[in-house]
Amino acid sequence: MSTVTTEPLLLYSRTQRLPRIRPRNSHLLNPPLLSFRSKTIKLFSNGASFCNFKPHQRAQPVRDSSTDAAVLNTFQSTDVSFKETFRLTRTQRAEGKIFFRLDQGNDQGTWVLSIGCNLPGKWILHWGVSHIKDNGSEWDQPPKSMRPPGSILIRDYAIETPLKKSSEQDIFYEVKIDVIPKAKIAGINFVLKDEETGAWYQHRGRDFKVPLVDDLQDDGNMISAKRGSCPWKGVLRSLLNIILKEESSASKAQGSISELEDTKQKKSFLQEFYEEQPITKEIAFENSLTVSVWKSPERAKNLLYMETDLPGDVIVHWGVCRDDAKYWEIPEAPYPPKTTVFKNKALRTLLQPKEGEKGCSGLFTLDEELEGFLFVLKLNESTWLKWLGNDFHIPLSGSGGLHSQLGQRQFDVSKAETADTNEEVSPLAYTQGITNQIRNLVSQISSDKSRKTKTKEAQESILQEIEKLAAEAYNLFRSFIPTFSEETVSESEFQKPSVGICSRTGSGFEILCQGFNWESHRSGKWYMDLKRKAAEISSMGFTVIWLPPPTESVSPEGYMPKDLYNLNSRYGSIHELKDLVKTLHEVGIKVLGDAVLNHRCAHYKNQNDVWNIFGGRLNWDDRAVVADDPHFQGKGNKSSGDNFHAAPNIDHSQDFVREDIKEWLCWLREEIGYDGWRLDFVRGFWGGYVKDYMDSSEPYFAVGEYWDSLSYTYGEMDHNQDAHRQRIIDWINAANGTAGAFDVTTKGILHSALERCEYWRLSDQKGKPPGVLGWWPSGAVTFIENHDTGSTQGHWRFPSGKEMQGYAYILTHPGTPAVFYDHIFSHYQSEIAALISVRNRNKIHCRSMVKIIKAERDVYAAIIDKKVVMKIGPGSFEPSSVPARWTLAIERQDYKVVFAAVSSISYLAIVKMTQKGFKTGFDDIIVDSFPIFDGGCVIEPSNEMDNCKMYSPCSF
């Protein structure tokens, strides 16, 4: 669950009337997140415009149409050629209050504590009490006399009570608790939970606390009437001690003091008070947009009518197109009322309020020969609406739009296949036709199947099928392109997949090696050291290696880059880097560069003595720095992500910044030979910019570091980490799938599962892996340690002694596994090599299917692609229930991996691999005594693979 920290706002006296706080005007709230029910709208809230237009340009007024009223009257007499209603759900951030009030009750000596909220929701008070003799902030369940109706016991320390409306007309949700001072209760502790969103609201990061006795320790989370302290309290206490000592013996005096202290501590000092705390919440609103097109033959015009119930001022940013290329044009006048020209490239029309109804509408008169009407909706300067990531395209000619060719469910490639060989077919026309049919098919699914995809189960099933079809389609088209000659294929190359699955995952069978740690810069010759180990890394089965940041940097590790084109770093020179990359390519390993794009250290100070002026080839000024970074006084736009406060945060919304970064990445690809990227601190800028950079540099493999905290409740990790993995998936979506992301969710869950012996955590509520790999495996790069979390930094070190359990998990599961350098060259090397060998032999890839067989307190077991069974944890498990013949691959304390007996690997093949220096990883394999047929020979294994005997068919 997420925790929202609130800060105190106002302190009222009891006589003040409780104000009713309503959400601000909906169109002025923070940018909403919108999604269609039957279609999808992507919302971009960074101020960037669509269609390559800048929205901040001053618009030019044009004349209105004088015939719209007459045109509207012709609607009923014309035929509708197109009509579509887009239903959408948008969320807006509403601001409200949590209030606390303590009043005297009707009975003498009783009090009533009221806790409420003025925002709609399903609010639950999670609360308990602390007794007078309790230490610290211990919780306990309140006595029955204090429990309001409807309360539910939570374990043995708290209860949960729902907040209710006092009346149907009231917007306040409230709960009242009877407080009895004589019950020896020191205070009431609570947090407020919103069951609709799963958010927990606390006070300054701590539980709310209402004290019921004086001298209760205030940890900064106290909610009560404010009372001043007496400066003479210590002096009076000393005088009291002297008087008591004079009147009785020392023992009696001490007893009297203790008794007096105890009496004082139990004495209640309740006072009436009222206090408020601010609260924000995302509230969902339902809206719709309907677009209709009529043909008016007598006027040779198309009439397009648009209406929506979106609140506030809605501006249509629009143009027309004449063919399938969908290039924006400004049509000839007349235009609707309130229309302005934008940069001579588009028009902007303010939709007019509907008389007597909510919402607004607009009528557009368009020439008959136009093919389509293009538009996006502008709600405010930071909120634009698109359709499926593209401009809305409404067909005017009856072809090529949202609903054209919807009945055609299969690719029509027969014409291309049977065409006359002498007739030249345009590649652009062919590819455009294929992509248009794909879009049409998606539109059909979106409109026809929306009612059947309401449940998450159905959606997940469809997504899995789409991923499979995408992989098949990719392989199909790749297979048409010859990539090598059969004569030149070596045996080592033949072992690797020849086709890829998608750009961000390489072949889909990649295994990533992090080729450095936090101290690697110290030698000054790291590139040369790694070059000597290139062949060994390749022989273990790694296909991709991640190298450290190559640029000149203020910090020796490379993560505070300065001159991006200066590649002489603490790891070595640019020439040594090129030599290393060349060597890695020769042994069949792709190379990722560590690209730090979020921030950059300046060369010079500005007139205010602030470091925000850059030198070198990219000599940017303070316009390249975001405006909301308080440390560096940037003059750019506001940041589209979280700020990194140690260096100036770069404003990627600036055109010149993006063009320079794209040029730099392409230069690195060509000059150094990088095959892809590891992207540092991608939380700092919008994922849409990443898509731009990836589209330009075309990496073979790319992965972003999106790292934030998992959900905890009172120091204990929550079982449900859906919100955490959803944030990572949202970033991958924002980057349009051009890069994967490190599966921080899986690492965090492995921490708790292995350290606390809670292996049940490795299965989510639906019986799937609980990390990103359980939802989007091809986008997940799994890992257990890296230079930040382990090494000498140790920010989030994996549980000691449990590392191989972690690798047994990620090297047998889908996703792209990454192995840390320190573990590769350690006593774990042979075990890691054996696990990689099992993964490669059984062709486990980033989309492999996982079936969790067991997830209990002390054991986790799963079967992957029906070929590999793995088990981790001290508990027992044997794959006896699986109807296949299994061979033990590796077994160590607390983990075991077995795989199905394979009949396609012969002793001759193993000899060939060994002769080439390839480590097989079969040292620990015990083979069942059954023959393997291969190429007319029979192999009779004994207990060890090296003792296999080979017979010819006749001798058998």
Side-chain angles (χ1 to χ4, degrees), residues 62-106:
V62 297
R63 66 186 181 88
D64 297 340
S65 170
S66 60
T67 61
D68 283 346
V71 172
L72 187 60
N73 292 331
T74 67
F75 272 12
Q76 303 301 325
S77 61
T78 55
D79 295 329
V80 177
S81 62
F82 175 92
K83 186 172 184 179
E84 181 73 28
T85 297
F86 304 95
R87 297 196 177 278
L88 56 100
T89 300
R90 60 190 178 89
T91 59
Q92 293 181 335
R93 190 181 299 273
E95 299 178 358
K97 301 287 186 295
I98 303 175
F99 69 87
F100 318 92
R101 183 174 57 239
L102 185 64
D103 299 304
Q104 280 191 319
N106 297 328

Side-chain angles (χ1 to χ4, degrees), residues 13-32:
S13 67
R14 178 175 178 259
T15 56
Q16 288 178 288
R17 183 182 180 86
L18 182 64
R20 293 176 179 264
I21 310 298
R22 299 182 182 275
R24 298 177 180 176
N25 292 336
S26 57
H27 64 285
L28 298 177
L29 295 174
N30 290 342

Side-chain angles (χ1 to χ4, degrees), residues 75 304-308 336 349-352 360-364:
F75 272 12
L304 187 146
Y305 180 70
M306 181 185 303
E307 61 180 346
T308 178
T349 299
L350 175 65
L351 296 183
Q352 300 300 299
C360 50
S361 63
L363 177 66
F364 302 80

Side-chain angles (χ1 to χ4, degrees), residues 445-673:
I445 294 172
S446 178
S447 59
D448 292 352
K449 304 296 183 183
S450 60
R451 295 181 181 178
K452 302 179 183 179
T453 58
K454 294 294 183 183
T455 65
K456 284 189 175 180
E457 292 83 354
Q459 293 173 356
E460 288 172 0
S461 176
I462 290 174
L463 286 174
Q464 288 179 1
E465 291 302 317
I466 289 173
E467 284 218 324
K468 292 178 184 177
L469 290 172
E472 291 175 10
Y474 186 84
N475 290 341
L476 174 66
F477 282 95
R478 279 292 301 270
S479 63
F480 287 33
I481 305 171
T483 57
F484 54 82
S485 172
E486 286 188 13
E487 292 80 5
T488 61
V489 177
S490 67
E491 291 165 358
S492 61
E493 288 172 338
F494 189 75
Q495 301 296 326
K496 298 179 181 179
S498 60
V499 293
I501 291 181
C502 69
S503 60
R504 69 172 178 271
T505 58
S507 68
F509 295 82
E510 307 301 341
I511 302 175
L512 173 64
C513 160
Q514 180 176 2
F516 64 100
N517 61 29
W518 191 249
E519 304 297 330
S520 296
H521 65 277
R522 293 189 179 277
S523 69
K525 295 289 182 180
W526 185 252
Y527 293 148
M528 294 297 96
D529 294 341
L530 203 58
K531 176 184 175 182
R532 289 189 286 271
K533 297 178 178 178
E536 185 177 3
I537 293 171
S538 176
S539 71
M540 291 181 66
F542 290 102
T543 61
V544 182
I545 190 169
W546 156 25
L547 297 185
T551 57
E552 174 200 14
S553 171
V554 172
S555 64
E557 298 82 14
Y559 289 100
M560 299 282 282
K562 196 173 181 182
D563 184 355
L564 298 185
Y565 280 91
N566 181 357
L567 301 190
N568 296 310
S569 69
R570 301 289 183 90
Y571 299 99
S573 67
I574 183 174
H575 302 292
E576 292 171 338
L577 175 59
K578 288 182 179 180
D579 194 20
L580 170 61
V581 172
K582 180 174 179 291
T583 301
L584 290 167
H585 284 165
E586 288 173 352
V587 297
I589 297 180
K590 303 288 186 180
V591 183
L592 306 185
D594 201 326
V596 184
L597 306 180
N598 174 75
H599 50 273
R600 181 186 171 197
C601 294
H603 292 72
Y604 313 106
K605 295 181 179 180
N606 67 0
Q607 64 274 14
N608 298 327
D609 205 36
V610 175
W611 293 92
N612 60 12
I613 307 299
F614 304 92
R617 182 167 166 180
L618 302 182
N619 55 345
W620 301 334
D621 58 17
D622 51 8
R623 292 175 300 165
V625 181
V626 297
D628 53 348
D629 185 344
H631 303 286
F632 297 101
Q633 298 182 2
K635 294 184 179 178
N637 297 312
K638 288 186 178 181
S639 175
S640 57
D642 298 332
N643 281 332
F644 177 80
H645 296 297
N649 289 263
I650 301 304
D651 179 13
H652 294 264
S653 69
Q654 302 284 6
D655 291 340
F656 72 89
V657 168
R658 291 199 307 279
E659 292 305 315
D660 283 347
I661 290 178
K662 287 188 287 187
E663 183 179 347
W664 175 64
L665 291 174
C666 292
W667 175 79
L668 287 175
R669 288 272 275 142
E670 183 177 352
E671 185 71 16
I672 306 302

Side-chain angles (χ1 to χ4, degrees), residues 309-336:
D309 59 350
L310 284 168
D313 295 335
V314 179
I315 295 175
V316 183
H317 184 98
W318 65 282
V320 296
C321 61
R322 298 183 181 275
D323 52 38
D324 287 339
K326 299 182 178 64
Y327 293 122
W328 283 55
E329 295 183 19
I330 295 180
E332 295 183 358
Y335 306 129

Side-chain angles (χ1 to χ4, degrees), residues 825-939:
F825 295 97
S826 71
H827 61 283
Y828 295 134
Q829 185 181 59
S830 63
E831 294 180 64
I832 291 173
L835 288 170
I836 292 175
S837 176
V838 171
R839 184 180 184 90
N840 288 334
R841 285 188 64 192
N842 291 278
K843 297 182 180 180
I844 297 174
H845 53 83
C846 67
R847 289 186 176 85
S848 289
M849 302 302 293
V850 176
K851 180 181 179 181
I852 297 175
I853 304 172
K854 212 170 190 180
E856 299 177 358
R857 183 187 62 83
D858 60 350
V859 64
Y860 168 86
I863 181 170
I864 300 89
D865 282 347
K866 299 182 180 179
K867 293 186 287 188
V868 173
V869 176
M870 59 81 64
K871 164 260 179 185
I872 57 176
S876 62
F877 170 78
E878 294 295 335
S880 57
S881 60
V882 183
R885 193 173 188 121
W886 301 103
T887 299
L888 178 65
I890 184 171
E891 182 175 14
R892 293 291 187 271
Q893 183 179 4
D894 291 348
Y895 81 93
K896 179 192 293 186
V897 178
V898 300
F899 60 92
V902 181
S903 61
S904 60
I905 296 181
S906 69
Y907 181 67
L908 285 175
I910 295 171
V911 171
K912 289 176 182 177
M913 290 189 286
T914 306
Q915 287 174 347
K916 294 183 65 112
F918 183 86
K919 288 191 176 182
T920 64
F922 292 137
D923 298 340
D924 301 305
I925 295 180
I926 306 299
V927 183
D928 291 337
S929 57
F930 60 92
I932 302 175
F933 295 87
D934 185 86
C937 295
V938 178
I939 313 300

